[in-house]
Amino acid sequence: MEVEHYAKGVILEPFLHQVGGHSCVLRFNDKTICKPLIQREHQFYETLPLEIRKFTPQYKGVVSVSFEGSEDGNLCLIAYPLNGDQDNLENAGHSDCEPKNKPVRWTNKKPVLLENEKLTKERVRQHRKEEKMKSHNLEEDFEWQKKSEVLYYSMEKKGNTGSQFKHNPWSIKCHQQQLQRMKENAKHRNQYKFILLENLTSRYEVPCVLDLKMGTRQHGDDASEEKKANQILKCQQSTSAVIGVRVCGMQVYQTGTGQLMFMNKYHGRKLTVQGFKEALYQFFHNGRYLHRELFDPVIKKLTELKTVLEKQESYRFYSSSLLIIYDGKDLQEVSVDSDSEELEDLSEESSDESAGAFANKPTASTVDIRMIDFAHTTCRFYGEDSVVHEGLDTGYIFGLQNLITIIKEIRDESSE
């Protein structure tokens, strides 16, 4: 929308599909997200080995983000180019913008509204008023959501063009916390660096996302004794200590009901190994049938990642996550907007999981496996780290192997 842009900066929005993590992830444009720059993570993206690159989001550069408020009290985060980095930023952040959008203009002046783009103050004020009303409703929802660890939402119908994805409640939580932190620090500091990364969900119409916290250890080498003890306890009380992996967040589309299921990290921590296996089954099940066609490509990609990590001397990916993503959209989704008679007929057809063969199922090429979150990653090449590890990250590899084994079990049991 035109009113989203200043002459110099881009107004950042919550990223709809953030399912885990505590760092705020924001939408920069359709194919780019951004998150607060953490030096260690930034260093990882700038120096990561070529063979790991295919398993991480594409790194697109750095922006400066400011916390700004309008005269009507609406608060927002706005991204600006770093000095001297304008060309690189435009290439990274805007080269893959949707064609319908006019490119954002980057200048050295303070943000002003462009009259020739018909961005009148009245229109912007009206837009902010609407956003403020939405924000108020979100806050009411959020109070209820904080008490729920697994939620089901119906997709919003959008005329004849299909359904509209709702915000994952976890993204709302992280966005509100980020705004609050920056609001509290605004008097002392109002310039933050954020890194730009590839939006891994951009090619999916209805992204189903599983965020898995990997490894038997989560605390970094620089953690305080209190933080260290807290992270060790979380691992001991979850599946992390037993199998080296736990659910950190999930969103999956239920074709049968047209609902989105959200699971947060608090529920993931409570799962037993059997519960973890059931959660994986639920992630690959759309409410009508199990996406068996996804198992082999997922296993193949996880095995490839395991082979790559078995060659990475000295790396430790503490507190890193692994994302599994596929598109929940298929031909049977038309039932969401169909009348009850059509829905009943389609439901009968799909009662047998073999009916899934008639749907336009996700294919092997649509499944994505990516490592994210490297705030506590370390390697001997970093130089300044006080602790230098030798050998492989056996905790992460242990988790990968168990993940592969469990997915194979689900595959084999479902075909019996």
Side-chain angles (χ1 to χ4, degrees), residues 10 21 30 45 49 81 102 159-160 171 187 227 247-248 322-323 329 346 370 380 404 409 413-414:
V10 178
D30 273 2
Y45 277 114
K102 202 165 186 177
N160 296 324
S171 71
K187 291 182 180 179
K227 178 81 171 177
V247 173
C248 193
L322 188 70
L323 296 184
K329 173 82 169 182
L346 197 50
R370 303 289 186 104
R380 66 184 177 197
I404 292 168
E409 288 176 0
E413 289 167 6
S414 67

Side-chain angles (χ1 to χ4, degrees), residues 267-327:
H267 186 77
R269 286 180 194 163
K270 297 175 182 177
L271 297 175
T272 61
V273 174
Q274 180 60 30
F276 175 84
K277 184 175 179 179
E278 291 169 0
L280 275 183
Y281 181 93
Q282 188 173 18
F283 175 67
F284 289 108
H285 201 290
N286 71 356
R288 283 207 173 109
Y289 57 86
L290 191 64
H291 282 298
R292 296 195 193 99
E293 74 285 353
L294 296 180
F295 290 140
D296 285 341
V298 167
I299 291 167
K300 182 175 182 290
K301 291 186 178 185
L302 289 174
T303 304
E304 288 176 3
L305 174 58
K306 179 170 171 284
T307 301
V308 167
L309 294 185
E310 287 173 339
K311 299 175 183 176
Q312 304 308 315
E313 173 72 20
S314 184
Y315 271 99
R316 295 295 182 276
F317 300 99
Y318 299 134
S319 200
S320 178
S321 282
L322 188 70
L323 296 184
I324 302 178
I325 312 171
Y326 70 89
D327 202 333

Side-chain angles (χ1 to χ4, degrees), residues 15-29:
F15 175 57
L16 271 67
H17 306 299
Q18 180 179 2
V19 301
H22 60 270
S23 182
C24 178
V25 179
L26 299 165
R27 178 191 180 276
F28 184 85
N29 63 38

Side-chain angles (χ1 to χ4, degrees), residues 117-132:
E117 291 183 3
K118 299 180 181 179
L119 298 182
T120 64
K121 289 185 179 180
E122 185 57 38
R123 284 180 63 191
V124 173
R125 190 175 292 115
Q126 180 62 27
H127 172 68
R128 286 173 173 168
K129 185 177 180 181
E130 291 171 0
E131 290 301 311
K132 192 174 182 181

